[in-house]
Amino acid sequence: MQGMTGGMFGMGGLEDVGKQNMAVFEKTMSMFNPFGQTGEGGQSTETSAAAPMATALRVFARHLPPHIIERVVSGGAEEVAAESKRITVMITDIVGFAELCARIDANETAALLNAHFSYVGRAIEAEGGFIDKLVGDGLMAFWGAPYACGEQAAAACAAARAIRDALEESNRVARAEGGQP
């Protein structure tokens, strides 16, 4: 299955999300600043007509995968209009997460979540899924929206198998290093 261009959760994990999306934003905004004018701090200066769009794109760039932003900006906005369709949904969470958090500090919790969401996100993206939200240790993803995904149920199952395999490997490494899986 085809994954997302650029990937929302690249090898660097969650910290790269904003960087990837802001690169798309800057590329898009360059269309509204053809002469490359910059203001204080090297930021591009948008015309007053483009300023509201720039604000909206900045918000989208923080929350949507780059391929969605690129598609909307390139004229695909009408393709993402609200409609009723059958989708496949995946919801994940970490078994025993609350108890685990009671035993480890905040930095360890953040590192655990960053690693976890990185491999879960890569597995979902590799199968064409779209990550809808992260809530605590939980994640909700879906296939079949906003764009068609062929065999979406099979893609979701393939992502689940990849997540299982990554989790087993992560647990194996943790045990080998004397930690807890």
Side-chain angles (χ1 to χ4, degrees):
M1 300 284 164
Q2 184 176 358
M4 291 195 241
T5 305
M8 185 172 175
F9 294 93
M11 292 305 289
L14 293 175
E15 61 272 7
D16 287 342
V17 172
K19 291 177 187 174
Q20 293 171 0
N21 289 354
M22 288 311 293
V24 172
F25 167 77
E26 291 300 329
K27 177 180 158 189
T28 302
M29 287 315 300
S30 69
M31 295 184 297
F32 299 100
N33 188 10
F35 301 110
Q37 299 170 341
T38 57
E40 188 175 327
Q43 296 288 345
S44 65
T45 55
E46 294 101 20
T47 64
S48 60
M53 181 179 181
T55 301
L57 284 173
R58 279 187 191 99
V59 171
F60 283 133
R62 280 182 276 180
H63 302 287
L64 293 174
H67 82 285
I68 298 289
I69 297 168
E70 289 172 348
R71 195 155 177 184
V72 168
V73 169
S74 69
E78 57 279 349
E79 294 179 38
V80 289
E83 64 180 279
S84 184
K85 59 170 60 174
R86 184 174 300 271
I87 64 171
T88 300
V89 176
M90 173 188 285
I91 298 173
T92 70
D93 78 336
I94 299 173
V95 174
F97 183 72
E99 294 82 13
L100 175 62
C101 287
R103 296 190 314 264
I104 62 177
D105 68 26
N107 289 333
E108 290 172 304
T109 301
L112 172 93
L113 287 174
N114 191 42
H116 175 75
F117 287 136
S118 292
Y119 67 72
V120 171
R122 282 192 301 269
I124 289 167
E125 290 176 356
E127 297 300 331
F130 180 82
I131 296 169
D132 180 43
K133 60 184 64 105
L134 305 171
V135 179
D137 65 318
L139 175 144
M140 181 172 153
F142 53 85
W143 285 257
Y147 306 109
C149 178
E151 296 293 325
Q152 61 197 36
C157 289
R161 286 189 298 274
I163 291 167
R164 179 204 56 213
D165 294 347
L167 178 60
E168 287 174 356
E169 176 63 14
S170 174
N171 288 343
R172 187 194 64 71
V173 169
R175 278 189 215 96
E177 294 174 352
Q180 238 184 320

